[in-house]
């Protein structure tokens, strides 16, 4: 019971933040009732998905300081678990998603057990390596469609099918991922102040000291990794149903891993709102820059040049990302 | 008095350098034991050996009736043996209170319990006004108090303190002495401390152990140890020796 | 009159952006010819000026860039259908993108014509809103085996019948992607059917900057024919490595893509002479087909170079759209669907050397154009010393004697 | 037998080129603890520089190597003073973020300027030339040049680091920037120098590579990944480590060749049935992963 | 009165916006040993960091040998002969003791001088000679302190600024260290010393400053300050 209350305990945050968060939450709830374009709708769904990926990354990467650049492999595991079982056995999403999560957790324990002995950049690159190996395996593994990937046929179920998450309307997908999103925020809010959260931040500070305080460093990292992986693979399962077509290149590539980390890092690693801010900036920026500059003006690449420049600018100005800028302004005001 | 911790013939070497050579000692329940010795004598190494920070080459360590020689650092900490670090770089993003809460979380999973216990420790160590500061921003004296409070959060039976009075003014040393007394007497924790600040050693320790070149060269009451010619030669120097013998006689 | 919006999704940026530009130019040219009256071109479409059955409505193309990303493609398709309210969709070059885009179209009941994706699987899904004009890899690969068989039977222009046991052992090296692995499987299938032996079918990691071990492995079995499916950079490196390691076979064949790219020819120079590639369009077609020549002239004037496989197919794809709309006289999806299933465009209307366009209305290859065919070309030197792609297969339209066997580098 | 020897030689040759590519990364990392995700983009720019200058001037692409090196040096120094300098204040996360940004920026700038076509060099001393030494050993001229260049560069960098005052200052800067400043070392200059050298070596590698491999704005990432694997394998910041790890990675990419060899040697049919080529780079990552389990800081690692 | 060698004029310093030094002035004349004392967090180290331009003063002026140095870079200031032994030592951890010491002489070109200085340091701290090949990171706390001080002496500084050099040293070593400082002082080296060992340092200093929460509250000769009641109460525990 106390635990449940802790999910909703935002008391340590400034009023202003909560006010803005509540306003944004409300806006998200009523968003589909306004006649926005389908482009806006899919951009917002992307935003929600990447926020969730980013929240997952943030637990291990932000609070724990273990920079993982291979999370896409868990996205792939989640997506494939759902797609394979839906195509072969008609398994409902609500069954295949937890199964996918379990497989992902099992895989992450294997990976984590060995990889968490590595530090800093060695760790980051090892996570990339494992992710690429898994992708290469999926690219030749016939059972999961090899390089061709898997497609949930557009005519397989009749929409709306809530069990298999099969709808023609994006609105329905939207509300499902929005529910995930709210649960995600509440969970991270609980996590950051939980015992594990504290232990993790102590580990990030100094592993030796953490050990002397009775923390089993390896185990704490693996537990947190499992949390991160749960986020990513659950949303990966959703991705499979939403996109209905998955390929190794599309779900497990390095680009996706990087993008996930980018969201959280740009927004502010190790803060509750960081991943949301990162995704909230990068996803619309990417879509609309492309729409305005890339496709219309015919200047191929200029959208991403600007995109890259913005990332460079923020990283140079404030190492803690956008959230760091916010905090700095706040501190200056206080002083 | 029964021995709370018993160190038997501990040897630890790094490459060719033997940092701890066949050291044995014990600390009784409720004792306040001091360890002194020249720089590089192997004091910190001995703490590392006892607290499981590194594996020892040979020897045996018994704590509270259990052989802990083969246990890992965090397992030993959970048994009630907590140590602090000589060079503690608290940079990170934890505030003073959060730091202490990490310690408290060893014994409880509940956030409210940990928070309440941390509040108590903040009060005990005069850290209340600093609770929301980042540890790295504090002056050294305050940092050391945070370190002690955090260690006390784990409710240890035995506390190993590594140079908590280094770099403090005499005033602050007095405050630290008070803190250690509080830990020892009011909370009933057995303490072993490493210190170069002799005022402190002379003041608070029941018994002193002297290391030199990895070996135990003397052991006894503080006022006896400072008269030991070997200790004077290796560690104290004539001037200090004169001072302390004068004081204690 | 109103305009008729057709959404066109191509890879305008990303790895295939060069092809994307060709595709776009081809489709745009077709739209111009359809919208204006152009008497110089012997094509129904050029004479009409808009869709006459819809009151002379003009075609408006809305281009979107999918970057080679299937998920993005699906998003763009939704956007075109829901926001831009297009009548139908044309695209997408990459089979993987076509797959997701067609799934969206199927979901929303919007017709889609695929002009340029060659994965056989696309038309094996029993979709009701998907039609493909281009032949697919099965056809292309069958062409290859027809050619090989023709060689043993003496059907090839300029080559006396080759004893069967002299051309028996095949090896294939295809890139490890959806496309490459399909080609690889198809080759194995046909080899069995036609009585050849595939000694090694290799899938290699694309764009890997070094193919020496792959080539060594191919060379080791001393094959009679080497078959490839690669994009430009790999194709170039593959031939360079073959040359460096003095690896050779009597026949070297590429499944289009890289082997047809202009860069392939210009980089390798004389080394390409004798290499075979499948294609759907070679400039030599213009020599044997009048309407192709006319369109090619126009294209060359605007873009600066000849039509390519990509641009010719994009042109044909849009042309098919125009003919269907003309015949349907309606923009309702159901009407378009009905018309598409029954349309028949004769070969002389087309710039590609096909017998025409007629879609299979049902069956295992539903939506596939049954009258399409491929070409196998061979790089040869003409009198002026320029390297041209001569047509070798189909035998009846071949433009030159085949060079056989391939001369060592 | 020919396959074995051929594969060995080919692996070592490509390995040296890989090592040359990785050299700059390890220098930059060693100095600043920055893993530069834009490393492959420097390679790409080196390729374009050699290609475009040789096409424009009509000179042999081989002669463009110094030009590419100079451009790379300037670019590296500019990157440092204009951008990376500011990243150094932040934690690892911020640096990764920044170099991701740099990667996107450079890659797409190239796309904007040069377009996305595959471009190749059509003629040149090294282009399309190879020496056949018998026994299946074929040495393409480009790779030979690459190997020579790699040996020269590694020797030069090693000497610079260990035999000169500047080198000592660089090591000190690498270890403790503030401490080095207190010794009177201009750490900014050292870092700028490291970026210059780091970028110059990789653009030189690019100028060599373009002699046999086509360039697009997208070529970078594969090489960035290989360079990462090499540098991590050799130990971040270790120059000799990068060299040996490069050779190891080169040999690993030849695993399909060795597999073939043993297939023929043993005549085993199950081996013939398994194709190794799709996994060419998988082995590299797998090997990295496995070696890391045994040596968490790489083969020659000393930094923490 | 000669020109002061080092002159700090009314500087103010802040850390991430929070002011820590509120207008401190002090002078060090050639050949003098000056000591700054003050309780923890008073800002002693910060002043030295400001002199080194490691933490910029946002107001005030710092001159060395008549030249304004507050807008120079750290390394340029070092080359003028200002050497700083920081509280946090900043050793080059994987390098050996000897390599660390030699880096201290980075600004010197003369090999002969470097060899002499090295010998001098080894005589001052014989323990370092024993450990000359050992990596600095594996030294004990006190040994590391010796390396840091020794490194500061390697470049023949015009002024040596020591920040709590006795921190963590055994009583014997503290004694020896102070002897060494006295020896250096006798050789004419100008020294600015920050210490917690108030009695010893004031005893051997020509002048001293007392710092409290970022302000100088007292100054005078060493002996004067030692006699001062408030100083005795605050720092000598009497
Ligand atoms: N990891 C290590 N590798 C090699 N040598 C080490 C290592 N740790 C400590 N030593 C050496 O062991 C000896 C004892 O070191 P230790 O830190 O225990 O000394 P100490 O008694 O705590 O000294 P201080 O009072 O200066 O802190 C020193 O000479 C040190 O150089
Ligand atoms: N990096 C920093 N960021 C924020 N505040 C700092 C920082 N460094 C020091 N401070 C604060 O500035 C004040 C002065 O610090 P300084 O280190 O100069 O004190 P000091 O007199 O040298 O004390 P000590 O005896 O602990 O060395 C202290 O209150 C300290 O908390
Ligand atoms: Mg110690
Ligand atoms: Mg200080």
């Amino acid at each position: 019971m106390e635990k449940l209350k802790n999910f909703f305990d935002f008391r340590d945050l400034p009023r202003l933040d909560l006010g803005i968060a509540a306003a944004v939450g409300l806006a998200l709830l009523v968003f589909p009732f306004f006649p926005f374009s389908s482009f806006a709708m899919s951009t917002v769904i992307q935003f929600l998905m990447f926020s969730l990926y980013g929240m997952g990354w943030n637990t291990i990467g932000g609070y724990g300081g273990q920079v993982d650049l291979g999370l896409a492999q868990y996205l792939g595991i989640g997506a494939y678990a759902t797609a394979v079982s839906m195509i072969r056995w008609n398994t409902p999403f609500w069954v295949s998603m937890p199964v996918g999560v379990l497989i992902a957790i099992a895989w992450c324990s294997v990976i984590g057990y060995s990889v968490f002995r590595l530090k800093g950049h060695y760790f980051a690159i090892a996570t990339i390596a494992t992710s690429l190996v898994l992708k290469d395996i999926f690219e030749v593994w016939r059972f999961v469609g090899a390089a061709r990937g898997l497609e949930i046929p557009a005519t397989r179920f009749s929409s709306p099918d809530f069990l298999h998450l099969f709808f023609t309307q994006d609105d329905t997908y939207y509300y499902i991922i929005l529910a995930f999103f709210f649960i995600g925020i509440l969970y991270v809010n609980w996590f950051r102040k939980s015992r594990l959260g504290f232990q993790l931040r102590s580990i990030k500070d100094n592993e030796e000291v953490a050990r002397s305080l009775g923390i089993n460093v390896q185990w704490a990292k693996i537990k947190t990794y499992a949390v991160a992986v749960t986020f990513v693979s659950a949303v990966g399962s959703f991705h499979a149903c939403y996109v209905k077509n998955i390929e190794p290149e599309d779900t497990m590539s390095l680009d996706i891993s990087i993008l996930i980390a980018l969201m959280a890092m740009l927004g502010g690693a190790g803060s509750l709102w960081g991943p949301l801010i990162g995704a909230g900036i990068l996803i619309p920026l990417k879509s609309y820059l492309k729409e305005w500059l890339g496709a219309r003006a015919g200047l191929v690449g200029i959208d991403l040049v600007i995109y890259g420049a913005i990332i460079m600018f923020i990283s140079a100005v404030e190492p803690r990302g956008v959230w760091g800028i916010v905090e700095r302004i706040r501190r200056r005001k206080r002083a | 008095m029964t021995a709370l911790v018993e160190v038997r013939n501990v040897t630890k070497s790094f490459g060719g350098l033997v940092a701890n050579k066949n050291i044995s000692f014990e600390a009784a329940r409720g004792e306040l034991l001091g360890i002194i010795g020249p720089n590089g004598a192997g004091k910190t190494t001995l703490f590392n050996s006892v607290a499981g920070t590194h594996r020892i080459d040979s020897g045996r360590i018994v704590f509270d009736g259990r052989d802990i020689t083969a246990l890992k650092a965090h397992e030993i900490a959970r048994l009630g043996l907590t140590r602090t670090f000589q060079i503690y770089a608290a940079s990170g993003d934890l505030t003073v209170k959060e730091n202490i809460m990490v310690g408290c979380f060893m014994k409880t999973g509940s956030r409210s319990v940990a928070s309440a216990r941390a509040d108590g420790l903040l009060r005990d160590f005069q850290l209340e006004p600093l609770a929301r500061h980042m540890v790295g921003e504090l002056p050294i004296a305050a940092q050391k108090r945070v370190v002690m409070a955090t260690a006390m959060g784990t409710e240890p039976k035995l506390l190993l303190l590594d140079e908590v009075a280094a770099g403090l003014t005499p005033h602050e040393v007095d405050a630290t002495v008070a803190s250690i007394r509080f830990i020892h007497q009011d909370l009933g924790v057995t303490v072993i401390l490493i210190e170069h600040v002799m005022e402190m050693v002379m003041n608070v320790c029941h018994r002193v152990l002297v290391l030199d070149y990895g070996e135990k060269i003397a052991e006894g009451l503080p006022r006896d140890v400072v008269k030991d010619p070997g200790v004077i030669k290796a560690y104290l120097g004539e001037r200090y020796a004169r001072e302390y013998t004068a004081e204690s006689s | 009159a109103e305009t008729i919006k057709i959404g066109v999704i191509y890879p305008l940026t990303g790895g295939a952006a060069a092809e994307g530009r060709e595709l776009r130019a081809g489709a745009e040219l077709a739209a111009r010819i359809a919208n204006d009256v152009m008497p110089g071109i012997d094509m129904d479409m050029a004479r009409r000026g808009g869709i006459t059955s819809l009151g002379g409505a003009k075609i408006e193309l809305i281009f979107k860039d999918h970057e080679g990303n299937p998920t993005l493609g699906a998003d763009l398709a939704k956007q075109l259908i829901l926001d831009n309210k297009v009548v139908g969709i044309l695209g997408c070059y990459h089979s993987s993108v076509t797959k997701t885009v067609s799934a969206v179209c199927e979901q929303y009941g919007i017709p889609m014509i695929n002009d340029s994706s060659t994965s056989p699987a696309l038309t094996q899904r029993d979709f009701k809103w998907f039609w493909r004009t281009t032949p697919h890899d099965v056809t292309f690969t069958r062409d290859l085996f027809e050619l090989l068989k023709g060689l043993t039977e003496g059907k090839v222009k300029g080559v006396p019948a080759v004893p069967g046991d002299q051309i028996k052992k095949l090896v294939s090296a295809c890139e490890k992607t959806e496309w490459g692995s399909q080609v690889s499987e198809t080759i194995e299938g046909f080899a069995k059917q036609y009585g050849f032996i595939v000694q090694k079918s290799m899938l290699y990691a694309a764009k890997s900057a070094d193919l020496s071990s792959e080539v060594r492995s191919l060379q080791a079995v001393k094959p009679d024919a080497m078959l490839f499916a690669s994009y430009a950079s790999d194709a170039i490196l593959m031939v360079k490595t073959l040359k460096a390691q003095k690896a050779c076979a009597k026949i070297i064949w590429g499944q289009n893509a890289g082997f047809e790219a202009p860069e392939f020819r210009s980089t390798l120079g004389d080394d390409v002479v004798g290499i075979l590639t499948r294609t759907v369009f070679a400039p030599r077609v213009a020599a044997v087909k009048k309407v192709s020549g006319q369109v090619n002239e126009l294209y060359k004037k605007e873009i600066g170079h000849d039509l390519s496989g990509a641009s010719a197919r994009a042109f044909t794809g849009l042309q098919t759209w125009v003919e269907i709309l003309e015949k349907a006289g309606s923009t309702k999806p159901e009407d378009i669907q009905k018309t598409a299933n029954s349309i028949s465009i004769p070969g002389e209307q087309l710039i590609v050397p096909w017998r025409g366009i007629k879609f299979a209305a049902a069956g295992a290859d539903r939506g596939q154009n049954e009258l399409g065919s491929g070409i196998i070309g061979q790089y040869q030197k003409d009198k002026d010393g320029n390297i041209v792609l001569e047509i070798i297969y189909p035998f009846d339209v071949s433009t030159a004697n085949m060079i056989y066997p391939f001369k060592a580098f | 037998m020919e396959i074995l020897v051929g594969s060995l030689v080919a692996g070592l040759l490509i390995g040296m080129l890989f090592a040359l590519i990785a050299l700059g990364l390890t220098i930059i990392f060693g100095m600043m603890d920055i893993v530069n995700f834009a490393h492959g983009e420097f390679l790409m720019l080196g390729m374009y520089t050699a290609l475009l200058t040789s096409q424009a001037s009509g000179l042999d692409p081989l002669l463009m190597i110094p030009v590419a090196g100079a451009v790379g040096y300037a670019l590296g120094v500019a990157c440092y003073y204009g951008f990376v300098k500011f990243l150094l204040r932040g934690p690892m996360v911020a640096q990764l973020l920044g170099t991701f940004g740099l990667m996107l920026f450079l890659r797409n700038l190239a796309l904007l300027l040069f377009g996305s076509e595959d471009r190749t060099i059509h003629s040149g001393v090294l282009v399309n030339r190879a020496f056949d030494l018998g026994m299946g050993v074929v040495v393409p001229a480009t790779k030979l040049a690459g190997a020579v260049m790699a040996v020269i560069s590694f020797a030069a960098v090693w000497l610079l680091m260990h035999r000169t005052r500047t080198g000592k200052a660089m090591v000190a800067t690498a270890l403790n920037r503030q401490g080095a400043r207190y010794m009177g070392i201009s750490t900014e200059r050292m870092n700028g120098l490291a970026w210059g050298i780091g970028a110059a070596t990789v653009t030189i590698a690019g100028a060599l590579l373009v002699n046999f491999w086509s360039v697009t704005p997208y070529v970078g990432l594969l090489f960035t990944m290989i360079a990462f694997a090499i540098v991590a394998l050799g130990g971040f910041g270790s120059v000799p480590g990068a060299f040996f790890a490069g050779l190891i990675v080169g040999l690993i990419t030849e695993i399909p060749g060795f597999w073939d060899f043993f297939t023929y040697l043993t005549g085993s049919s199950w081996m013939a049935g398994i194709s190794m080529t799709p996994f060419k780079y998988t082995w590299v990552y797998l090997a990295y992963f496995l070696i890391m389990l045994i040596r968490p800081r790489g083969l020659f690692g000393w930094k923490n | 009165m000669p020109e002061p060698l080092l002159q700090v004029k009314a500087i103010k310093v802040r850390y991430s916006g929070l002011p820590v030094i509120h207008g401190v002035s002090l002078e060090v004349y050639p050949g003098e040993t000056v000591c700054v004392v003050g309780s923890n967090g008073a800002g002693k180290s910060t002043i030295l960091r400001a002199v080194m331009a490691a933490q910029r003063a946002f107001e005030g002026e710092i001159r060395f040998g008549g030249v304004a140095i507050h807008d120079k870079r750290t390394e340029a200031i070092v080359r003028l002969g200002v050497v700083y032994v920081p509280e946090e030592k900043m050793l080059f951890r994987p390098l050996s003791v000897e390599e660390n010491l030699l880096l201290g002489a980075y600004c010197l070109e003369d090999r002969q001088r470097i060899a002499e200085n090295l010998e001098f340091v080894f005589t001052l701290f014989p323990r370092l000679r024993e450990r000359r090949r050992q990596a600095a990171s594996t030294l004990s706390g006190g040994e590391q302190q010796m390396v840091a001080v020794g490194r500061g002496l390697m470049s023949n500084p015009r002024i040596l600024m020591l920040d709590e050099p006795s921190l963590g040293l055994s009583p014997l070593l503290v004694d020896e260290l102070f002897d060494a400082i006295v020896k250096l002082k006798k050789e004419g080296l100008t020294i600015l010393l920050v210490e917690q060992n108030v009695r010893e340092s004031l005893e051997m200093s020509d002048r001293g400053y007392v710092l409290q929460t970022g302000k100088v509250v007292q100054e005078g000769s060493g002996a004067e300050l030692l006699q001062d009641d408030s100083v005795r109460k605050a720092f000598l525990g009497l």
Side-chain angles (χ1 to χ4, degrees), chain A:
Chain A
M1 206 52 226
E2 188 208 327
K3 207 163 162 175
L4 200 66
K5 225 168 60 207
N6 284 339
F7 276 89
F8 295 93
D9 179 5
F10 288 95
R11 273 172 309 181
D12 61 323
L13 299 176
R15 286 258 172 76
L16 180 66
D17 289 17
L18 295 179
I20 294 174
V24 171
L26 210 65
L28 285 172
L29 271 176
V30 300
F31 167 76
F33 294 104
F34 291 86
F36 285 108
S37 63
S38 83
F39 183 56
M41 172 59 93
S42 64
T43 305
V44 176
I45 291 180
Q46 286 277 317
F47 156 71
L48 294 175
M49 285 169 63
F50 270 94
S51 296
L52 280 162
Y53 294 140
M55 284 182 217
W57 185 91
N58 199 26
T59 54
I60 189 75
Y63 292 115
Q66 310 291 316
V67 178
D68 187 302
L69 297 179
L71 278 188
Q73 60 188 312
Y74 305 105
L75 197 173
I77 290 176
Y80 272 101
T82 292
V84 168
S85 53
M86 208 174 272
I87 290 170
R88 288 184 191 256
W89 308 297
N90 269 332
T91 319
F93 170 80
W94 304 104
V95 175
S96 67
M97 181 192 80
V99 169
V101 167
L102 287 180
I103 298 173
I105 288 179
W107 177 246
C108 92
S109 323
V110 175
I111 300 284
Y113 180 76
S114 35
V115 145
F116 278 127
R117 299 177 348 145
L118 306 177
K119 301 250 148 60
H121 298 95
Y122 291 100
F123 172 81
I125 292 178
T127 56
I128 296 180
T130 56
S131 175
L132 290 178
V133 169
L134 195 70
K135 181 182 154 219
D136 280 357
I137 292 173
F138 271 60
E139 277 184 345
V140 293
W141 186 12
R142 300 249 166 129
F143 183 74
V144 299
R148 203 172 306 165
L150 290 172
E151 187 183 20
I152 300 173
T155 47
R156 179 67 174 254
F157 307 100
S158 56
S159 161
D161 184 337
F162 194 71
L163 272 186
H164 297 94
L165 239 53
F166 200 89
F167 313 105
T168 31
Q169 292 299 312
D170 272 4
D171 297 20
T172 329
Y173 287 112
Y174 175 83
Y175 277 112
I176 289 170
I177 193 72
L178 189 64
F180 277 36
F181 176 79
F182 285 136
I183 295 171
I185 292 182
L186 293 179
Y187 181 81
V188 175
N189 182 52
W190 172 80
F191 173 86
R192 74 196 167 102
K193 290 180 291 179
S194 70
R195 179 190 205 165
L196 183 57
F198 272 90
Q199 292 184 338
L200 203 64
R201 286 157 74 190
S202 166
I203 290 170
K204 179 181 176 185
D205 222 28
N206 186 328
E207 288 191 10
E208 206 82 295
V209 172
R211 275 196 198 95
S212 79
L213 296 174
I215 298 169
N216 186 343
V217 171
Q218 181 85 358
W219 179 230
K221 282 182 185 172
I222 290 182
K223 276 195 287 192
T224 314
Y225 203 30
V227 170
V229 160
T230 303
F231 270 81
V232 176
S233 91
V235 181
S237 292
F238 173 83
H239 170 92
C241 292
Y242 174 60
V243 177
K244 303 196 181 63
N245 176 72
I246 52 171
E247 289 165 30
E249 186 57 41
D250 214 34
T251 50
M252 311 173 87
S253 72
L254 179 59
D255 286 349
I256 305 228
S257 294
I258 291 182
L259 205 59
I260 291 173
L262 207 59
M263 302 287 153
M265 294 193 292
L266 186 96
S271 71
L272 179 61
W273 307 126
L276 314 194
I277 295 174
I281 292 175
L282 287 187
I283 297 285
L285 189 73
K286 202 172 162 185
S287 322
Y288 282 95
L289 269 183
K290 184 171 175 56
E291 182 71 6
W292 292 330
L293 295 171
R296 293 212 183 135
L299 290 171
V300 175
I302 189 145
D303 50 330
L304 289 173
V305 169
I306 295 173
Y307 185 73
I310 289 173
I311 294 171
M312 282 166 72
F313 178 76
I314 290 176
S315 66
V317 169
E318 174 53 60
R320 285 166 303 157
V322 177
W323 189 247
I325 297 177
V326 173
E327 289 209 316
R328 194 154 63 172
I329 293 169
R330 262 197 193 149
R331 187 182 278 224
R332 192 159 301 158
K333 264 207 195 121
R334 230 182 287 135

Side-chain angles (χ1 to χ4, degrees), chain C residues 14 17-18 21 176 200 202-203 207-210 212-214 216-217 221 233 237 240 244 246 263 266-267, chain D residues 6-7 10 116-120 122 128 132 138 143 211-212 214 218 222-223 254 260 264 277-278 280-281:
Chain C
R21 263 204 308 280
K176 189 185 66 171
K200 190 164 266 175
M202 170 190 292
L203 291 177
K207 307 215 168 218
S208 64
D210 182 47
S212 58
S213 62
E214 284 81 354
R216 210 171 294 113
S217 174
V221 298
S233 54
L237 185 62
K240 279 187 178 183
K246 304 215 171 83
E263 198 67 15
S266 51
T267 306
Chain D
S7 296
S116 69
E117 299 82 32
D118 282 284
R119 296 218 206 172
T120 44
H122 300 163
N128 290 342
D132 192 341
V138 179
K143 287 188 189 160
N211 280 291
F212 72 96
S214 44
Y218 301 94
L222 172 75
F223 293 99
E254 288 294 326
D260 269 355
Y264 293 119
T277 37
K280 193 163 181 171
Y281 291 107

Side-chain angles (χ1 to χ4, degrees), chain B residues 136-141 143 167-169 172, chain E residues 15-16 18 20-21 38-47 49 55 87 163-164 194 196 211:
Chain B
E137 296 172 356
L138 301 181
I140 293 177
Q143 286 194 19
L168 304 190
T169 60
E172 291 158 349
Chain E
Y15 285 111
S16 41
L18 294 166
V20 171
I21 301 292
S39 55
N40 257 295
K44 306 179 295 292
S45 307
T46 306
I47 293 177
R49 278 187 219 131
Q55 189 70 40
E87 194 175 8
D163 195 352
E164 308 209 11
V194 166
Q196 293 292 5
L211 205 64

Side-chain angles (χ1 to χ4, degrees), chain D residues 26 115 121 215 236:
Chain D
T26 206
I121 281 185
V215 54
F236 274 108

Side-chain angles (χ1 to χ4, degrees), chain A residues 46 239 243 245 247 249-251 253 255-256 259 286, chain C residues 9-11 13-14 65-76 92 94 96-98 100-101:
Chain A
Q46 286 277 317
H239 170 92
V243 177
N245 176 72
E247 289 165 30
E249 186 57 41
D250 214 34
T251 50
S253 72
D255 286 349
I256 305 228
L259 205 59
K286 202 172 162 185
Chain C
I9 310 179
Y10 282 144
T13 61
D65 169 22
H66 64 64
E67 300 174 24
N69 177 339
T71 312
L72 178 59
D75 251 13
L76 295 172
C92 305
H94 291 87
S96 55
V97 185
T98 302
T100 59
V101 168

